[in-house]
Amino acid sequence: MNLKNSREVQSNLVPLYLKNKRLGKVHSKFKSGLNIQFEDILIYISHTESALSAYGINIDKDKLQEIMEMVEIKDVVIFKECKLIFYSTYKNITLNLENIELIDLRIPVIQIKKREIRNTILYSILKEYDFKNNIGLKIDDKINYYIDLLVKSDKENSKLNEEIIKFFSGRGKGLTPSGDDILIGFTTAILSFNEENIFGNWIKDISLLINKKVTTEISVSYIRALIEGYLSYNFIELIYSMNIKESNYVYGIIEKIKKFGHTSGNDTLFGFFLGLKFLSDN
């Protein structure tokens, strides 16, 4: 997979979700893009040099800049005939999605065996990384207890799952709290090894327990995409790197993810590493 030629692209999850939607609104704006809310899902529109998110659309920078300058939070957005129509105070702007290329962001399945995880370049790099001083949570005895429980507990035990998920969900600061990112990374590892059937209770419990009552709408949207089997482009690359034996290539993928958000990339990588540890022992 390669998106380095800066073309306009969208996740193949976007049209599937928008097919039965009509009325939305501008939810939030950032330096590099904005979220459009349709019911409980956030569609993220960014520029072509950004990593494509699971519910993402990457468009030309000038086009994005025009939208960003004209719209305000809570402005109405209508999806009609494969177009997003922004109803701004200044003027209406139409973004035609019909000719924007679809990118498959479904979670790929790892080809290696679980017993081979600890022998991969990716695992060895993550094992040596100083997560303690780079994630958004201060590691203390209580955090260590729940990290240990996350890695060692039976994921078919819903009572334990609930205790773990309630501890991590919403914990930390930011648009996606660090605890949510750790859970997302952990669950990504399980799904990338096609372990949904074996650890089905964990998948079910996390989808039920992470909601707007306990964390941010952005986290809920990410979890929703993950449970449906979709990831951001950078994490698709991370999963593929499990099969790569060239360390410089794997380092490059990891470095891109580290730069995401204030600590979000590191938090999710940490969760993914914990998921790999869990899988290699089960």
Side-chain angles (χ1 to χ4, degrees), residues 43-89:
I43 303 295
Y44 184 59
I45 303 178
S46 189
H47 56 77
T48 54
E49 294 175 16
S50 295
L52 183 64
S53 69
Y55 282 107
I57 305 168
N58 287 0
I59 61 175
D60 178 78
K61 272 191 173 181
D62 292 337
K63 196 182 298 182
L64 176 65
Q65 187 64 30
E66 179 188 13
I67 295 172
M68 295 283 286
E69 289 176 355
M70 292 297 172
V71 305
E72 303 291 343
I73 292 173
K74 294 187 178 180
D75 280 354
V76 170
V77 183
I78 298 293
F79 180 68
K80 183 180 180 181
E81 297 175 352
C82 211
K83 298 179 180 67
L84 288 173
I85 306 168
F86 296 81
Y87 289 87
S88 160
T89 303

Side-chain angles (χ1 to χ4, degrees), residues 41-280:
I41 290 301
L42 301 177
I43 303 295
Y44 184 59
I45 303 178
S46 189
H47 56 77
T48 54
E49 294 175 16
S50 295
L52 183 64
S53 69
Y55 282 107
I57 305 168
N58 287 0
I59 61 175
D60 178 78
K61 272 191 173 181
D62 292 337
K63 196 182 298 182
L64 176 65
Q65 187 64 30
E66 179 188 13
I67 295 172
M68 295 283 286
E69 289 176 355
M70 292 297 172
V71 305
E72 303 291 343
I73 292 173
K74 294 187 178 180
D75 280 354
V76 170
V77 183
I78 298 293
F79 180 68
K80 183 180 180 181
E81 297 175 352
C82 211
K83 298 179 180 67
L84 288 173
I85 306 168
F86 296 81
Y87 289 87
S88 160
T89 303
Y90 308 100
K91 72 173 191 177
N92 297 341
I93 304 173
T94 298
L95 177 61
N96 191 344
L97 305 183
E98 191 170 15
N99 296 319
I100 297 181
E101 181 182 356
L102 293 174
I103 300 296
D104 188 356
L105 294 187
R106 289 174 296 180
I107 300 173
V109 176
I110 294 293
Q111 299 302 312
I112 65 172
K113 303 296 183 183
K114 289 190 293 181
R115 63 177 179 271
E116 300 170 335
I117 287 175
R118 293 178 186 262
N119 297 324
T120 64
I121 295 294
L122 176 60
Y123 186 89
S124 65
I125 292 173
L126 294 178
K127 182 181 178 182
E128 297 302 317
Y129 184 54
D130 181 16
F131 283 113
K132 181 178 179 180
N133 292 308
N134 287 286
I135 65 172
L137 298 179
K138 183 179 178 180
I139 303 295
D140 55 22
D141 289 344
K142 189 172 184 179
I143 295 287
N144 271 326
Y145 169 78
Y146 278 98
I147 288 172
D148 195 55
L149 196 61
L150 178 63
V151 173
K152 295 180 179 178
S153 66
D154 176 7
K155 295 302 176 290
E156 289 304 281
N157 185 330
S158 286
K159 185 176 180 180
L160 279 179
N161 289 348
E162 181 176 359
E163 182 181 352
I164 294 165
I165 293 165
K166 283 187 174 180
F167 176 80
F168 282 107
S169 58
R171 185 169 295 272
K173 300 177 181 179
L175 297 169
T176 56
S178 297
D180 295 340
D181 289 328
I182 289 170
L183 291 174
I184 287 170
F186 184 88
T187 307
T188 296
I190 288 176
L191 292 174
S192 65
F193 275 83
N194 199 26
E195 298 290 345
E196 182 176 359
N197 293 330
I198 299 175
F199 304 112
N201 278 359
W202 172 262
I203 306 300
K204 179 188 69 177
D205 294 336
I206 203 168
S207 66
L208 291 173
L209 292 169
I210 296 188
N211 53 61
K212 290 184 285 186
K213 294 179 181 179
V214 298
T215 191
T216 66
E217 289 180 312
I218 295 177
S219 279
V220 173
S221 189
Y222 284 172
I223 285 287
R224 171 80 175 272
L226 178 61
I227 298 305
E228 291 185 10
Y230 292 81
L231 281 173
S232 70
Y233 180 77
N234 280 350
F235 282 94
I236 298 288
E237 287 190 309
L238 182 71
I239 291 171
Y240 278 123
S241 76
M242 286 288 294
N243 299 306
I244 302 296
K245 299 185 184 299
E246 184 184 336
S247 58
N248 286 340
Y249 178 87
V250 180
Y251 270 115
I253 300 298
I254 291 172
E255 288 302 315
K256 282 198 297 185
I257 293 175
K258 285 181 185 177
K259 294 174 183 177
F260 184 72
H262 182 56
T263 64
S264 188
N266 282 315
D267 297 328
T268 313
L269 279 173
F270 182 49
F272 187 78
F273 173 63
L274 295 177
L276 294 182
K277 287 180 69 175
F278 168 77
L279 288 169
S280 65

